[in-house]
Structure formats: C-alpha cells, structure tokens
Amino acid sequence: MVSESKGTSSFMTDFIQQRGGFAVIDGGFATELERHGADLNDPLWSAKCLISSPHLVRRVHLDYLDAGANIIATASYQATIQGFEAKGFSTEEGEALLRKSVEIACEAREIYYDRCTKDSWDYVEGGGSTRRPVLVAASVGSYGAYLADGSEYSGEYGDSVSLETLKDFHRRRVQILAKSGADIIAFETIPNKVEAKAYAELLEEEGIDIPAWFSFNSKDGINVVSGDSILECASIADSCKRVVAVGINCTAPRFIHGLVLSIRKVTDKPVIVYPNSGETYDAEIKQWVESSGVRDEDFVSYVGKWREAGASLFGGCCRTTPNTIREISKVLSNKSSQP
Ligand SMILES: C[S+](C)CC[C@H](N)C(=O)O
Ligand SMILES: N[C@@H](CCS)C(=O)O
Ligand SMILES: [Zn+2]
C-alpha cells in the first residue's frame, strides 16, 4: 500500500491527523475469542483459531470494528511457521495460514464497510459521503510468545538466543506478512532490546515496504520486562525509518503514563498505547489471574491523561473487550469535540 519511504514515514501521522488527532486500536483479541467459546490452551494460543475456527476470528474482528476500532490486529501474534510445523503442517501450509490471518481481517473490514454503506452509518465530510477507514495490522509476537511459556513477560531467552537467531526466526514470517495485503506490521509485546534490534535490522535488510509499529511491555513502568531501558528500546524504534509508531502494550494501565513520558523523550513518532487489564498471566494454566480490580471504566478514565502525555493511538490488550474500545472511542470523540 505504501511503497516509498517518504510515504512510509508520514503514513501514521497522516492517518492520525485525518482521524482528528487520534486513532483507536482494537482490544484483547484472544480474550474476545475466549468469550465466544474458544479454548486457547494450545502452543499456538490465539493462532489456533486460524485452523479450528476462522469464522470466530472474523467475528472478533467485526466485534472490534463495531465497537469503533480504526485499526484491527490479525490473529498472527502466536502464528509462526515453526509453530505450525510442530503441529505437522508443511512450510507452505504454515505460510498459507499466516496469509489467511490477514485475509480474514481484510474480509471482516469489507463486511464492515458494506454494512456501513447499507445501514448509512457512514459520515459526511466535505459534502461527499465516506466511511471510517480501517487499517489491518499484521501482528507479530515475540520469540517468547512462540515458546508458549509466558516468556514474553520475562524477555529472558538465554545466551543461546542471539540477535542472528532472532532474525532468522522471524525472517520468513515478516516477509510473508509484508506481502499479505496488510497495511502495517504490528510488532507487539516486545520484551527486550535484542528483539527490537532484530526487527529493525530485518525491516532494513529485507527491504520491507510496508510500515511497522514497535510496542514494548513493562512490569515496572520504568524498563521493559527484561530490565532493558525503555529509552534504549524506543530509540531503536526511532532510528528505524520503517517504524511509524512506538509504544507500550500488554502492560498494567497504572504504568502507562510514565512510560509515554519516557518514550516521548526519545522520539517524535506517534506513541501507541494498548494496555492489558492489569491482571497477571499464568502460562502454566494459560489463564489470567490475580485481578487488580481494574474495570473497563477505570481503564478508560486514564486515556485523557495518556493523550496529554503525548500518546495518539489507543486501544486495549489482553483481558480488554469491545466494551473497553467502545468507551475509549467515546471518551476520545467527546474530548475532540470540546472547544
Ligand atoms: C500475550 S500472552 C497471554 C500469550 C500466550 C502465551 N505466549 C502462551 O502461549 O502461553
Ligand atoms: N494481540 C495478541 C495479544 C498480544 S499480548 C492476541 O490477543 O492475540
Ligand atoms: Zn496482551
């Protein structure tokens, strides 16, 4: 969609500007799959549904579009060729499943557009009728996500996993997703500096011609989960010309404000935030535990502050729902219409 580097660099700022200064991302994808009855106790986690229930994947995308999302992320967070091969699929079949994750999201977008037109939900701008544009973001989870042991929340891969190992691990998936019809690649829940570096080098070496966002996770509001400095991590993202937004996801809401301020110190690129509910993930049982009592409403009440701190893309991650996204959309639209 965007092939020139100039086009890539202004891709997200233009999108945000056209939307009125902010954009809304979707919420917990796996969470909504589970709400519809999916059992994600599997090494592929949410990506299992690409095989077992693609109709549910499409349904979840539509739930988030109906809730007001401007950007939907594909079911490929834990979809890797290596993971599919471990299930007995061929390399070609694994590659096809990756493409399918984007195809389903694009289908959902078409259904949504079609409904908007038929139901006249579209809005009128400059006299002509138009519809809310939606971006499809191809999700790429970390090597730790593939390990399926929750190590995207520690970022500790051991000494045997080098920068080159990580680049080789992600290379083919990134190549496939870049040519899949997605508008942007969402590198999410990045737990450490070396993986950010691997992504940045891959984007460059492979001449990836669609934009990307880098989103890190933190459990103390100061560093990313591995203990690496958020400033260093965000600087890697800032230096990579394909990266059009930098931020934080799958992190407790109470840490977001400080992290946005830190990221702002090292980049002028749009800042993206999509926190989780504040609960903790138990990888043994693949369940979220220890509710901190953060409710959708509490979460949403922080959004204005995050915007003041310099963020412009907002959504939710694990354990957030279409309700969260509906509330975020409402809060932001109300703020924008205020004098
Ligand atoms: C973002 S976490 C909740 C994803 C699931 C994890 N990688 C696992 O497989 O247990
Ligand atoms: N977007 C992912 C989770 C990232 S932590 C999913 O829900 O599949
Ligand atoms: Zn998450």
Side-chain angles (χ1 to χ4, degrees):
M1 189 178 176
V2 178
S3 52
E4 296 164 18
S5 64
K6 184 172 180 299
T8 303
S9 69
S10 64
F11 176 87
M12 193 55 91
T13 42
D14 291 350
F15 184 75
I16 292 167
Q17 203 187 359
Q18 285 155 12
R19 313 264 26 85
F22 66 89
V24 179
I25 317 160
D26 60 7
F29 190 78
T31 305
E32 186 64 0
L33 284 172
E34 286 179 321
R35 206 173 66 89
H36 284 296
D39 173 7
L40 304 184
N41 193 348
D42 187 277
L44 295 178
W45 195 52
S46 52
K48 174 193 159 190
C49 292
L50 290 170
I51 304 163
S52 63
S53 36
H55 60 286
L56 271 192
V57 173
R58 189 167 38 242
R59 172 75 198 269
V60 169
H61 288 314
L62 279 164
D63 289 348
Y64 280 117
L65 289 170
D66 288 341
N70 304 122
I71 304 177
I72 52 173
T74 60
S76 49
Y77 172 79
Q78 209 148 310
T80 61
I81 296 164
Q82 298 86 336
F84 289 128
E85 285 175 344
K87 289 248 168 200
F89 290 95
S90 67
T91 309
E92 292 70 30
E93 287 168 334
E95 293 178 0
L97 283 163
L98 279 173
R99 289 188 196 98
K100 187 170 164 184
S101 69
V102 176
E103 281 160 20
I104 297 173
C106 291
E107 263 170 45
R109 174 169 63 182
E110 283 314 307
I111 295 169
Y112 172 75
Y113 281 163
D114 203 39
R115 270 202 222 151
C116 288
T117 310
K118 286 207 179 93
D119 300 348
S120 303
W121 288 351
D122 48 32
Y123 63 93
V124 173
E125 201 178 63
S129 136
T130 178
R131 55 198 178 183
R132 193 179 81 219
V134 169
L135 299 180
V136 168
S139 167
V140 172
S142 66
Y143 177 72
Y146 154 76
L147 295 177
D149 60 0
S151 49
E152 66 266 65
Y153 297 114
S154 72
E156 286 163 14
Y157 299 159
D159 292 342
S160 61
V161 180
S162 64
L163 177 71
E164 289 307 316
T165 318
L166 291 172
K167 279 162 70 176
D168 288 342
F169 175 79
H170 287 294
R171 191 179 309 274
R172 187 69 188 137
R173 173 162 63 150
V174 168
Q175 285 172 340
I176 302 252
L177 291 174
K179 297 283 176 215
S180 63
D183 300 299
I184 185 164
I185 303 179
F187 293 100
E188 14 177 41
T189 332
I190 310 174
N192 56 36
K193 197 168 79 174
V194 66
E195 200 145 24
K197 202 152 192 286
Y199 291 144
E201 290 189 12
L202 264 188
L203 290 176
E204 201 57 48
E205 285 169 20
E206 298 300 324
I208 299 300
D209 59 4
I210 65 170
W213 80 59
F214 278 15
S215 181
F216 300 89
N217 59 331
S218 168
K219 52 191 176 198
D220 61 6
I222 299 165
N223 298 311
V224 303
V225 291
S226 62
D228 291 339
S229 150
I230 185 65
L231 297 174
E232 286 181 42
C233 289
S235 298
I236 292 169
D238 183 64
S239 309
C240 181
K241 66 177 188 295
R242 312 272 172 212
V243 174
V244 296
V246 188
I248 300 289
N249 75 293
C250 218
T251 294
R254 65 185 179 279
F255 296 137
I256 299 293
H257 187 257
L259 291 162
V260 172
L261 293 175
S262 298
I263 293 170
R264 262 275 151 268
K265 286 185 190 156
V266 295
T267 188
D268 290 328
K269 293 183 182 185
V271 175
I272 185 167
V273 293
Y274 53 117
N276 60 28
S277 63
E279 292 163 276
T280 305
Y281 185 66
D282 181 335
E284 288 279 318
I285 52 170
K286 295 205 184 292
Q287 298 283 334
W288 289 85
V289 291
E290 192 197 295
S291 170
S292 62
V294 177
R295 301 190 312 265
D296 286 348
E297 295 87 342
D298 301 332
F299 173 106
V300 170
S301 68
Y302 301 142
V303 167
K305 281 215 153 60
W306 300 340
R307 194 168 176 199
E308 279 165 28
S312 51
L313 294 149
F314 307 89
C317 203
C318 297
R319 304 288 282 169
T320 68
T321 68
N323 265 348
T324 322
I325 300 312
R326 203 167 283 114
E327 291 302 314
I328 290 176
S329 297
K330 214 191 290 172
V331 164
L332 289 168
S333 305
N334 289 344
K335 275 203 179 304
S336 292
S337 58
Q338 279 165 15

